[in-house]
Amino acid sequence: MSGVLNERACLLTEQLLARAGELKVIPHALQNGAIVVDCGVETPAGLQAGLLLARICMADLCSIQLAPGELEGLSLPYLQVQTDHAVEACLLSQYAGWKIDVDKFFAMGSGPMRAAAEVEDLYRVLAFGESPARTVGVLEANTLPGVDVVEKISKATGVDPKDIVLLVAPTSSIAGNMQVIARSVETAMHKLLECKFDVHRVQAGFGTAPLAPVAQDHLTGIGRTNDSILYGGSVTLWVTGDDESLQEIGPSIPSSSAACYGKPFLDVFAEADHDFYEIDPSFFSPAVIIFQNLDTGNVFQFGQMNTGLLKNSFGF
């Protein structure tokens, strides 16, 4: 394919760059022509930057907004995500499946640049790839990348460095906090894929998760954002096909299906030596999953919230 996901994300990135001052993001032009946009490393980028960052991550095939909510009587914003293109937006673009590791720089890479690189098995399973003229990626990182990181991405994607834009935010920032918590639907979709479910049966997705308080440090931020989805995320998927397969796979989709369920994410992370890719992949899913079958009209719900753990994680 030519590069539909990347082009959509690049168009939205142009809007973000045009509003850089208003959004409190800082673009940096590197020597090789790439643009690195600081969305929270050294600048206090805010809520609007966070919403745009999440939309770019999903190739702008979504609607994302804040909504009022509560956690055991305590007022707390929730992040709502909806998409009519769950496979493309969540799996082929948003999923943080690319480990960017260059010398001392480390980031979890997401966004449509992944579809250009095709370094993950996911693209072979879903038979998808892009050859875009330009690309954009989102990096969850504490520091800004240099030319060496861009060169690695350029080599993998086949895109010239001058046509690469990287948006960078740590979880301990407003925008970085939001872009992680905007992954409620994505976690459900990836869990379905891991369970060998035909994800193309999903016609639409809607998810909510509490917006965790921004943490003082990166590690605490990782814990809070993941706990938000694992113990407070609720996802509804509109699907086609038979009911029996939904009833069969349903119990294995929520985070409660994992053996490590019930522990704060930071504890699980520590047990995995702080390597996301060493954690039981069945743990990465929302607390609640609801299937609405468009063919039969039946509805199935699995999983449950754990508000007590969330309150502790959030520091309430």
Side-chain angles (χ1 to χ4, degrees):
M1 295 186 68
S2 59
V4 175
L5 298 180
N6 277 281
E7 187 59 26
R8 290 183 63 89
C10 285
L11 290 173
L12 188 56
T13 301
E14 289 176 359
Q15 296 180 33
L16 178 141
L17 291 172
R19 300 170 56 198
E22 171 198 345
L23 298 171
K24 297 187 282 188
V25 302
I26 302 177
H28 298 275
L30 302 187
Q31 291 178 335
N32 58 6
I35 301 295
V36 170
V37 186
D38 183 351
C39 297
V41 177
E42 298 173 353
T43 180
L47 300 174
Q48 292 302 312
L51 292 172
L52 276 174
L53 185 64
R55 284 175 55 195
I56 290 168
C57 209
M58 297 181 74
D60 202 20
L61 288 169
C62 59
S63 174
I64 304 176
Q65 59 205 31
L66 288 169
E70 65 173 39
L71 183 62
E72 290 190 350
L74 300 171
S75 294
L76 189 70
Y78 273 63
L79 201 59
Q80 292 184 176
V81 180
Q82 60 192 65
T83 179
D84 291 322
H85 306 275
V87 172
E88 294 82 1
C90 298
L91 296 177
L92 299 176
S93 190
Q94 187 184 25
Y95 177 62
W98 191 4
K99 188 177 181 180
I100 308 293
D101 196 354
V102 180
D103 293 331
K104 294 182 180 180
F105 181 86
F106 173 81
M108 294 182 66
S110 56
M113 69 174 181
R114 295 173 45 247
E118 298 179 56
V119 296
E120 304 158 48
D121 289 340
L122 177 152
Y123 290 95
R124 284 180 284 279
V125 172
L126 296 175
F128 186 89
E130 290 192 342
S131 300
R134 54 181 182 166
T135 190
V136 60
V138 174
L139 301 181
E140 183 184 330
N142 292 321
T143 57
L144 299 176
V147 293
D148 53 347
V149 175
V150 174
E151 292 296 338
K152 175 176 180 174
I153 292 172
S154 173
K155 184 177 180 180
T157 60
V159 178
D160 192 284
K162 67 179 175 59
D163 295 313
I164 294 175
V165 178
L166 299 176
L167 308 170
V168 189
T171 52
S172 55
S173 67
I174 293 176
N177 187 53
M178 292 176 71
Q179 77 88 7
V180 176
I181 296 173
R183 296 171 180 273
S184 54
V185 179
E186 176 238 274
T187 57
M189 290 296 294
H190 191 260
K191 185 68 171 291
L192 286 170
L193 184 68
E194 289 289 305
C195 292
K196 311 301 182 185
F197 183 82
D198 179 7
V199 291
H200 293 290
R201 289 174 59 183
V202 178
Q203 303 303 303
F206 174 86
T208 64
L211 188 63
V214 178
Q216 186 178 21
D217 61 89
H218 184 61
L219 192 59
T220 303
I222 289 174
R224 286 182 175 179
T225 52
N226 279 276
D227 284 339
S228 174
I229 294 175
L230 296 169
Y231 297 108
S234 177
V235 171
T236 298
L237 300 178
W238 286 262
V239 302
T240 57
D242 64 288
D243 285 338
E244 291 73 23
S245 59
L246 300 177
Q247 291 173 299
E248 181 180 353
I249 202 170
S252 63
I253 302 305
S255 55
S256 55
S257 65
C260 55
Y261 177 85
K263 299 179 182 179
F265 183 79
L266 274 187
D267 291 352
V268 177
F269 197 36
E271 291 170 2
D273 293 325
H274 297 120
D275 187 342
F276 275 96
Y277 304 96
E278 291 300 318
I279 296 173
D280 178 359
S282 68
F283 191 37
F284 292 104
S285 48
V288 174
I289 181 78
I290 301 165
F291 295 106
Q292 292 192 18
N293 192 329
L294 294 168
D295 289 336
T296 68
N298 292 324
V299 182
F300 305 94
Q301 177 172 325
F302 305 91
Q304 67 279 326
M305 303 290 186
N306 190 331
T307 56
L309 188 148
L310 280 179
K311 286 180 66 178
N312 290 331
S313 174
F314 291 176
F316 289 165

